[in-house]
């Protein structure tokens, strides 16, 4: 069962990566083999990330199914042993990908072989292994020094020599905490950004708009830019490139207008408002559950993510509302994951990190796979910490020491609720603020980023008005 599940995830991940991977030109055999190995390792990592995302929803729905059909012959394979095994495998493969496979893929892709040795795959593998050993010594040394500075006693110093039982869980706990902090930064931004993203994907209602007039204006603008492009000499490269960028933007706007014209009245006037209301309801429920969890943390010690073992799989329902509550938890978990990914690529620091179809280098793919792995591994921990679900984390996911710290967990919940509320308020009041700035005359202070906007502006008849 585990093999079949992973095989399906691997195939889906392979198609996703090949969709964004830059199509290789004529390459030498050695570089082609290196790229192929890095592609397989990245696909394996993305499959593990997808498994970590699906792990918590699968466990929740499995618990409800076992409660509803305890004696059914056809679901005997679905038991606590399988769920525990999946959690342990997800934790093991997450460690393997994060600390071994992805560093190997990156160094292997960048390696050329040591000077003086015969060039080839063996020389590149040797250089990669040496770099991995040096990196492992560096990381273990940093962890050893940090532990000695923080907790300098004989017991902790002796436990540092236990690599398997202490080093790796401690290191993975630190990575998980970093992932939760990254989710704390990305998810509120993504929750507010989701409204913009869905607005770009769906067709907005045409209220007080004349699409035919807009199509006429955009067509004249396209023709004007095309005439200017034909009149510019090919030797002036910067003007040609700038006009081509403007032409692409105009064509994109024209395609959007054509799509809006072809959309049916149901799609324009019903689907868009329904999706916006649904997003608002899901975001409000998430903030409400976090606020409720803060109250639970203040009055009940068992609300801590670490502390209560909880009943076994199939013994009791994890939600107050039974199957409906479990379904709502699963929807919220997927919504938070999608929002965190959208928020991650919306941050200014990671804007250039966004993969592009058929134009993403292998190095950027490796970086994206590592980022998604960190986010997906921290998602179950964040969901349990925020009180979205009461499912107790199994395997190494529940061994993090910081989950038992009351002040860290309470601060995390407070920051998430405050940041999400501020992002939503800023999102929904942006139009009001723009109108206030226009009324006060301060909108003129916002200068255009495009220097050509201050020189010329197209009019409805296709001519250029000089400002």
């Amino acid at each position: 069962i585990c093999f079949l599940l992973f095989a399906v995830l691997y195939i889906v991940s392979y198609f996703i990566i090949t969709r964004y991977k830059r199509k290789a030109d004529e390459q030498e055999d050695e570089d082609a083999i290196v790229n192929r190995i890095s592609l397989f390792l990245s696909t394996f990592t993305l499959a593990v990330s997808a498994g970590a995302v699906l792990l918590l929803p699968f466990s929740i729905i499995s618990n409800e199914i076992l409660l509803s059909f305890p004696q059914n012959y056809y679901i005997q394979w679905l038991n606590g042993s399988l769920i525990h095994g999946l959690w342990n495998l997800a934790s093991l493969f997450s460690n393997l990908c994060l600390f071994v496979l992805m560093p190997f893929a990156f160094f292997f892709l960048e390696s050329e072989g040591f000077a003086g040795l015969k060039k080839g795959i063996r020389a590149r593998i040797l250089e990669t292994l040496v770099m991995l050993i040096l990196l492992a010594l560096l990381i273990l040394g940093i962890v050893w020094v940090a532990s000695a500075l923080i907790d300098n006693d004989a017991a902790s110093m002796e436990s540092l020599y236990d690599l398997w039982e202490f080093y790796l869980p401690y290191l993975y706990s630190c990575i998980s905490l970093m992932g939760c902090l990254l989710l704390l930064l990305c998810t509120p931004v993504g929750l507010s950004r989701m409204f913009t993203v869905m607005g770009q994907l769906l067709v907005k209602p045409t209220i007080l708009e004349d699409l035919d007039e807009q199509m006429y204006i955009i067509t004249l603008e396209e023709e004007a830019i095309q005439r200017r492009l034909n009149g510019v000499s090919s030797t002036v490269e910067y003007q040609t490139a700038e006009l081509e960028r403007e032409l692409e933007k105009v064509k994109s706007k024209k395609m959007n207008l054509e799509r809006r014209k072809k959309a049916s009245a149901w799609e324009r006037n019903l689907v868009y408002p329904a999706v916006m209301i649904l997003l608002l309801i899901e975001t409000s429920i998430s903030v409400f559950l976090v606020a409720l969890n803060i109250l639970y943390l203040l009055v009940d010690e068992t609300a801590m993510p670490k502390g209560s073992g909880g009943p076994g799989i199939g013994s009791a329902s994890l939600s107050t509302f039974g199957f409906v509550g479990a379904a709502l938890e699963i929807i919220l978990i997927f919504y938070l994951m999608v929002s965190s990914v959208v928020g991650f690529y919306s941050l200014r620091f990671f804007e250039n990190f966004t993969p592009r179809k058929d134009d993403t280098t292998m190095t950027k793919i490796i970086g994206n796979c590592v980022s998604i792995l960190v986010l997906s591994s921290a998602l179950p921990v964040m969901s349990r910490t925020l009180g979205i679900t009461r499912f107790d984390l199994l395997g190494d996911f529940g061994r993090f020491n910081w989950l038992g710290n009351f002040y860290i967990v309470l601060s995390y919940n407070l920051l998430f609720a405050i940041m999400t509320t501020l992002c939503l308020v800023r999102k929904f009041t942006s139009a009001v603020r723009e109108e206030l700035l226009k009324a006060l005359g301060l909108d003129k202070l916002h200068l255009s980023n495009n220097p050509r906007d201050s020189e010329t502006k197209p009019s409805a008849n296709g001519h250029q008005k000089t400002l």
Side-chain angles (χ1 to χ4, degrees), residues 176-246:
S176 175
L177 180 59
M178 292 175 58
C180 287
L181 294 177
L182 184 60
L183 281 175
L184 181 63
L185 183 64
C186 298
T187 308
V189 176
L191 289 174
S192 62
R193 179 71 177 165
M194 283 292 290
F195 294 91
T196 305
V197 173
M198 296 307 297
Q200 294 172 353
L201 296 176
L202 300 175
V203 178
K204 297 180 181 180
T206 55
I207 302 174
L208 301 178
E209 284 185 298
D210 190 351
L211 294 181
D212 293 329
E213 182 181 356
Q214 293 184 22
M215 280 292 299
Y216 177 72
I217 293 174
I218 206 73
T219 303
L220 292 177
E221 187 176 352
E222 181 184 5
E223 293 175 355
I225 296 176
Q226 189 66 52
R227 286 196 299 269
R228 290 172 58 194
L229 187 61
N230 295 333
V232 173
S233 174
S234 58
T235 56
V236 188
E237 295 182 357
Y238 71 93
Q239 289 187 6
T240 304
E242 191 171 350
L243 287 174
E244 287 178 351
R245 284 195 297 269
E246 290 184 8

Side-chain angles (χ1 to χ4, degrees), residues 304-349:
M304 290 290 293
K306 185 177 182 181
S308 59
I313 302 295
S315 300
S317 180
L318 302 172
S319 175
T320 308
F321 301 101
F323 193 85
V324 177
L328 179 62
E329 290 179 2
I330 293 173
I331 293 173
L332 289 178
I333 290 170
F334 280 121
Y335 180 58
L336 289 178
M337 185 59 198
V338 174
S339 301
S340 64
V341 174
V342 171
F344 176 78
Y345 289 114
S346 299
L347 297 176
R348 292 184 179 180
F349 187 75

Side-chain angles (χ1 to χ4, degrees), residues 53-312:
V53 171
L54 297 174
L55 191 58
L56 189 57
F58 179 77
S59 303
I60 295 173
I61 198 67
S62 300
N63 183 71
E64 298 300 325
I65 290 175
L66 289 174
L67 278 175
S68 302
F69 309 100
Q71 304 298 330
N72 195 320
Y73 172 77
Y74 296 101
I75 60 170
Q76 292 300 312
W77 57 273
L78 192 63
N79 50 36
S81 177
L82 174 65
I83 304 300
H84 280 268
L86 287 173
W87 280 82
N88 289 326
L89 285 175
S91 177
L92 174 64
F93 286 149
S94 297
N95 281 288
L96 181 66
C97 294
L98 198 58
F99 300 123
V100 180
L101 297 184
M102 284 293 94
F104 179 85
F106 176 75
F107 289 129
F108 190 47
L109 199 64
E110 300 294 328
S111 64
E112 297 179 355
F114 290 113
L117 295 178
K118 184 179 179 180
K119 301 297 183 182
I121 297 295
R122 291 185 178 180
R124 298 178 75 161
I125 291 177
L126 178 62
E127 180 185 352
T128 304
L129 292 177
V130 171
M131 292 296 296
L132 284 177
I133 292 173
L134 293 176
L135 180 64
L137 291 175
L138 176 65
I139 293 176
L140 294 179
I142 291 174
V143 175
W144 193 85
V145 172
S147 300
L149 292 175
I150 295 172
D151 191 11
N152 188 14
D153 58 354
S156 63
M157 296 300 290
E158 289 179 2
S159 65
L160 286 173
Y161 297 103
D162 194 347
L163 178 67
W164 186 260
E165 292 294 331
F166 182 81
Y167 254 125
L168 289 180
Y170 179 74
L171 191 58
Y172 191 57
S173 178
C174 296
I175 297 294
S176 175
L177 180 59
M178 292 175 58
C180 287
L181 294 177
L182 184 60
L183 281 175
L184 181 63
L185 183 64
C186 298
T187 308
V189 176
L191 289 174
S192 62
R193 179 71 177 165
M194 283 292 290
F195 294 91
T196 305
V197 173
M198 296 307 297
Q200 294 172 353
L201 296 176
L202 300 175
V203 178
K204 297 180 181 180
T206 55
I207 302 174
L208 301 178
E209 284 185 298
D210 190 351
L211 294 181
D212 293 329
E213 182 181 356
Q214 293 184 22
M215 280 292 299
Y216 177 72
I217 293 174
I218 206 73
T219 303
L220 292 177
E221 187 176 352
E222 181 184 5
E223 293 175 355
I225 296 176
Q226 189 66 52
R227 286 196 299 269
R228 290 172 58 194
L229 187 61
N230 295 333
V232 173
S233 174
S234 58
T235 56
V236 188
E237 295 182 357
Y238 71 93
Q239 289 187 6
T240 304
E242 191 171 350
L243 287 174
E244 287 178 351
R245 284 195 297 269
E246 290 184 8
L247 186 62
E248 288 296 326
K249 292 179 181 179
V250 171
K251 287 183 177 180
S252 177
K253 293 179 181 178
K254 186 177 180 180
M255 290 178 59
N256 292 331
L257 286 175
E258 290 177 350
R259 185 190 169 203
R260 293 183 65 184
K261 283 192 66 176
K262 294 178 181 178
S264 63
W266 289 96
E267 185 179 357
R268 287 197 304 264
N269 301 322
L270 183 62
V271 175
Y272 181 83
V275 171
M276 292 295 120
I277 292 173
L278 184 62
L279 291 178
L280 184 60
I281 291 174
E282 290 181 350
T283 307
S284 303
I285 292 175
S286 302
V287 176
F288 175 74
L289 289 177
V290 174
L292 203 61
N293 188 57
I294 293 174
L295 295 178
Y296 282 145
L297 289 172
L298 295 175
V299 300
D300 191 2
E301 294 181 357
T302 59
M304 290 290 293
K306 185 177 182 181
S308 59

